[in-house]
Structure formats: structure tokens, C-alpha cells
């Protein structure tokens, strides 16, 4: 039933958004050249990998050592601020890689270092938006985001999904938390790094997340805004 609803929403939204999608694709092509679509491997339900789709927001590097931040174009900043760079993910929903609502899909190199508790985040299809997204997106730490996602999986219902959709509209109209402090999205917790968790009325008490060895954290790629 949920899959049928996801498919209906994605198809309807895709049809309505066709003029906007074509316009954005043309502008990306004119300002950044090809390809128009940015592809990145993510971990989906059960850890199965798939390619997530986004509109490009960065031009090509002028030299190998060029940092990511200067590569973001004016159009790219606008697309990120409005989350319009995520529109191609409607195709991910139609394909069945994602749902409309669920935990945002993360990078495989993060997933392989999940603790057994964190792997519970992979029990459902990742979503275009989710409980953690409407609570603060990248302005909150990874441990808290994971706890919020786990809470959603334990409590998901049609009413909660509708609540998330309504709050998503508010987030899109008043975008906050697109990037973390200093414009850099927080990386996955380092080995031995304490898990900073904010206690909220939406979450039960939580225990510190288990750290894994041999993982060197880094800020998320600049193309990864959510």
C-alpha cells in the first residue's frame, strides 16, 4: 500500500513538475555544461546500493586541487536553497530505489561502519524527506539524525507521514539547515568521538552509538547537501 502511494505521488508530482524540470535542465546545461544530472552511489533498503540523482550544482574543477566551495554556481546555490536539485529523485521513487518518506539515503562508506543498532535505519526504503529532515537536516549531528530515523521507523504511520509532508512544505518555504555550521555538513562520527545527542520530546532516552575502527571521517562532499 505504501509503495502504491509513493508511486502515485511521484508520478503526479513528476507530471506537474515537467516544465520546471526542463527549465532547470536547460539552465544547468547552459551554465555548467554537461552532464546535467549528478549521480552518486547511496545505500538503500537493506544496504542495497543504487545511484541517487540530483541536478548538478557545481561546475567542473579548473585544476585537481580546487576546493568544492568555489565550484558551486549561483544557480547551484539557488537549487540547493530551494531543494530543487532533488527533483530528479522522483525517478528514484518511481524505480523503487526510494520512497517519498523515509531516512535519507547515506553513502556506502558510512553504512559499512554502522553499529548493529544503526543498521536498523536500513529497514525501510530511504525517502525524499523524512523525520530527521524536518527536525533540522544537516544542522544536527549524525548520531541525532540516526536516532530520529530509528524513532520514525518504530512509530511510522499514515498520520505521521502526513505530518512530515506538511512540515516539509514549511521547510521548503523557509529553508534552514541545508548545510551544517560553517557551511560544511557534519561528517560521520570518528572512532572514539562521543556521540552528541540532543534529548527531545520526540525521542526516548538513547545510548551512545558504537564506534568502529579504521574509519577516517570527512565532511560530506559538497554536492551532498542532504
Amino acid at each position: 500500500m505504501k509503495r502504491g502511494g509513493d508511486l502515485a505521488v511521484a508520478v503526479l508530482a513528476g507530471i506537474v513538475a515537467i516544465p520546471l524540470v526542463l527549465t532547470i535542465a536547460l539552465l544547468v546545461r547552459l551554465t555548467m555544461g554537461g552532464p546535467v544530472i549528478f549521480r552518486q552511489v547511496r545505500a538503500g533498503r537493506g544496504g542495497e546500493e543504487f545511484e541517487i540523482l540530483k541536478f548538478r550544482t557545481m561546475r567542473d574543477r579548473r585544476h585537481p586541487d580546487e576546493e568544492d566551495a568555489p565550484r558551486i554556481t549561483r544557480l547551484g546555490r539557488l537549487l540547493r536553497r530551494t531543494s530543487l536539485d532533488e527533483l530528479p529523485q522522483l525517478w528514484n521513487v518511481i524505480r523503487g530505489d526510494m520512497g517519498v518518506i523515509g531516512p535519507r539515503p547515506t553513502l556506502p562508506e558510512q553504512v559499512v561502519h554502522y553499529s548493529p543498532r544503526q543498521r536498523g535505519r536500513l529497514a525501510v526504503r530511504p525517502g525524499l524527506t523524512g523525520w530527521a529532515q524536518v527536525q533540522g537536516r544537516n544542522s544536527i549531528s549524525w548520531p541525532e539524525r540516526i536516532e530520529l530515523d530509528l524513532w520514525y521507523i518504530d512509530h511510522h504511520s499514515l498520520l505521521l507521514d502526513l505530518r512530515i509532508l506538511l512540515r516539509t512544505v514549511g521547510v521548503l518555504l523557509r529553508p534552514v539547515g541545508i548545510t551544517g555550521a560553517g557551511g560544511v555538513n557534519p561528517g560521520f562520527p570518528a572512532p572514539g568521538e562521543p556521540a552528541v545527542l540532543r534529548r527531545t520530546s520526540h525521542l526516548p532516552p538513547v545510548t551512545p552509538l558504537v564506534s568502529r575502527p579504521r574509519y577516517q571521517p570527512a565532511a560530506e562532499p559538497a554536492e551532498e547537501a542532504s
Side-chain angles (χ1 to χ4, degrees), residues 113-174:
H113 296 281
Y114 276 4
S115 69
R117 174 181 173 79
Q118 290 171 320
R119 289 196 67 85
R121 192 175 186 268
L122 305 174
V124 298
R125 283 190 180 92
L128 298 176
T129 185
W131 187 237
Q133 292 298 103
V134 299
Q135 297 293 328
R137 301 177 72 170
N138 291 306
S139 65
I140 57 180
S141 69
W142 264 110
E144 184 179 6
R145 267 187 272 177
I146 291 174
E147 292 300 327
L148 288 165
D149 289 331
L150 292 174
W151 184 91
Y152 166 78
I153 292 170
D154 287 340
H155 297 82
H156 75 275
S157 65
L158 178 58
L159 185 60
L160 180 57
D161 284 353
L162 291 174
R163 182 181 175 187
I164 291 171
L165 283 176
L166 289 174
R167 292 190 64 170
T168 298
V169 173
V171 169
L172 293 176
L173 293 175
R174 189 180 178 183

Side-chain angles (χ1 to χ4, degrees), residues 6-19 21 87 90 94 128:
D6 287 341
L7 191 58
V9 170
V11 170
L12 180 60
I15 292 173
V16 172
I18 284 176
V21 167
L87 274 176
L90 290 171
I94 292 172
L128 298 176

